[in-house]
Amino acid sequence: MAKPFIVGVTGGSASGKTLFLDKLIHSFEPGEVSLISQDNYYKARHLQPKDANGIENFDVPASIDFDAYASDLRRIQAGETVTRQEYTFNNPNKTPRMLIFPPTPVIVVEGIFVLYYPELADLLDLKVFIDAKDHIKLKRRIIRDKVERGYDLDDVLYRYENHVMPTYEKYIEPFKNDADLIVPNNHNFDKALEVIRIYLRAKSGK
């Protein structure tokens, strides 16, 4: 198998990465593209850094096991299949799945810090930054965290003001200009998605 083409997709929390990637991945046949999300490389809850008020902060680089993330990516790049348990953010209503990451012609690496951590960024052949206005990201974050992660509204707003925005300004936005493509996602990303899909289809040999 030829060396896979590795795409990094990043952007601020709730910028629309998940929807973008879902549509991108489903435009390919099984076995053509694999998705490896940073969300499954969070450290255990008891190892999470805490803010001045003792609240776990999942939105700083120290919350992620980058060594494991980069190691798994290198293994897949070398032709190995990697398995990892899904990270569910302690949501009692969600049973963790065992995830399987097989080597495929195109590997998509997703997460807010994929351009920040050099060992990940150096493995990327294409860097994509999904961008959106702050008020739109906040609305999406409220919906996601209440429904998918079981946080109440006060908790969501606290984390957005004290964790999410400071992290975006310090660890994410400064790397925006390192991206090869910036995709505005205030309304939709359909045209950009089609351009990237065609490009990756060519890279996958299809």
Side-chain angles (χ1 to χ4, degrees), residues 9-26 35 37 39 110-112 130 140 144 148-149 185 189 193:
V9 178
T10 191
S13 178
S15 58
K17 298 185 299 299
T18 299
L19 180 60
F20 179 88
L21 289 167
D22 184 64
K23 290 190 174 184
L24 177 65
I25 298 300
H26 283 90
L35 172 64
S37 174
D39 278 358
E110 177 271 334
I112 61 176
I130 309 297
R140 292 171 180 162
R144 185 195 73 185
E148 295 182 15
R149 299 180 181 175
N185 185 28
F189 46 61
L193 176 65

Side-chain angles (χ1 to χ4, degrees), residues 10 38 59-61 64 66 111-117 167 171-172:
T10 191
Q38 175 191 284
D59 291 284
V60 289
I64 306 295
F66 285 111
I112 61 176
F113 297 125
V114 297
L115 298 187
Y116 167 80
Y117 188 64
T167 284
Y171 300 111
I172 303 171

Side-chain angles (χ1 to χ4, degrees), residues 57-71:
N57 188 351
F58 292 95
D59 291 284
V60 289
S63 67
I64 306 295
D65 187 347
F66 285 111
D67 290 340
Y69 198 5
S71 175

Side-chain angles (χ1 to χ4, degrees), residues 146-194:
K146 280 178 65 66
V147 174
E148 295 182 15
R149 299 180 181 175
Y151 297 154
D152 63 35
L153 181 58
D154 287 342
D155 192 20
V156 175
L157 294 176
Y158 176 90
R159 291 178 184 276
Y160 193 83
E161 179 181 357
N162 295 281
H163 299 172
V164 175
M165 283 309 298
T167 284
Y168 180 76
E169 293 168 356
K170 186 174 181 179
Y171 300 111
I172 303 171
E173 189 175 35
F175 295 92
K176 182 176 178 179
N177 290 330
D178 291 345
D180 301 299
L181 296 171
I182 298 174
V183 177
N185 185 28
N186 297 311
H187 303 292
N188 69 74
F189 46 61
D190 294 345
K191 292 181 180 178
L193 176 65
E194 181 65 10

Side-chain angles (χ1 to χ4, degrees), residues 23-200:
K23 290 190 174 184
L24 177 65
I25 298 300
H26 283 90
S27 68
F28 288 85
E29 296 296 325
E32 292 180 345
V33 179
S34 289
L35 172 64
I36 308 174
S37 174
Q38 175 191 284
D39 278 358
N40 292 304
Y41 290 86
Y42 279 97
K43 296 175 184 176
R45 186 103 187 202
H46 70 280
L47 297 175
Q48 290 297 322
K50 296 183 178 181
D51 65 18
N53 293 315
I55 306 296
E56 290 98 344
N57 188 351
F58 292 95
D59 291 284
V60 289
S63 67
I64 306 295
D65 187 347
F66 285 111
D67 290 340
Y69 198 5
S71 175
D72 281 357
L73 184 55
R74 287 192 294 267
R75 288 173 59 196
I76 296 170
Q77 191 178 44
E80 297 182 41
T81 294
V82 170
T83 58
R84 188 170 184 85
Q85 182 172 291
E86 179 184 23
Y87 195 89
T88 61
F89 292 86
N90 284 13
N91 187 338
N93 299 316
K94 192 170 185 180
T95 302
R97 299 171 295 156
M98 186 57 68
L99 305 174
I100 301 174
F101 304 131
T104 54
V106 175
I107 305 292
V108 179
V109 182
E110 177 271 334
I112 61 176
F113 297 125
V114 297
L115 298 187
Y116 167 80
Y117 188 64
E119 285 195 39
L120 280 176
D122 289 347
L123 295 172
L124 305 179
D125 298 303
L126 178 69
K127 301 171 183 176
V128 179
F129 192 103
I130 309 297
D131 200 20
K133 294 179 180 179
D134 291 342
H135 73 276
I136 293 175
K137 290 187 290 186
L138 175 58
K139 178 181 178 180
R140 292 171 180 162
R141 176 90 180 200
I142 290 171
I143 294 171
R144 185 195 73 185
D145 282 3
K146 280 178 65 66
V147 174
E148 295 182 15
R149 299 180 181 175
Y151 297 154
D152 63 35
L153 181 58
D154 287 342
D155 192 20
V156 175
L157 294 176
Y158 176 90
R159 291 178 184 276
Y160 193 83
E161 179 181 357
N162 295 281
H163 299 172
V164 175
M165 283 309 298
T167 284
Y168 180 76
E169 293 168 356
K170 186 174 181 179
Y171 300 111
I172 303 171
E173 189 175 35
F175 295 92
K176 182 176 178 179
N177 290 330
D178 291 345
D180 301 299
L181 296 171
I182 298 174
V183 177
N185 185 28
N186 297 311
H187 303 292
N188 69 74
F189 46 61
D190 294 345
K191 292 181 180 178
L193 176 65
E194 181 65 10
V195 169
I196 294 172
R197 185 192 67 80
I198 292 171
Y199 181 75
L200 294 184

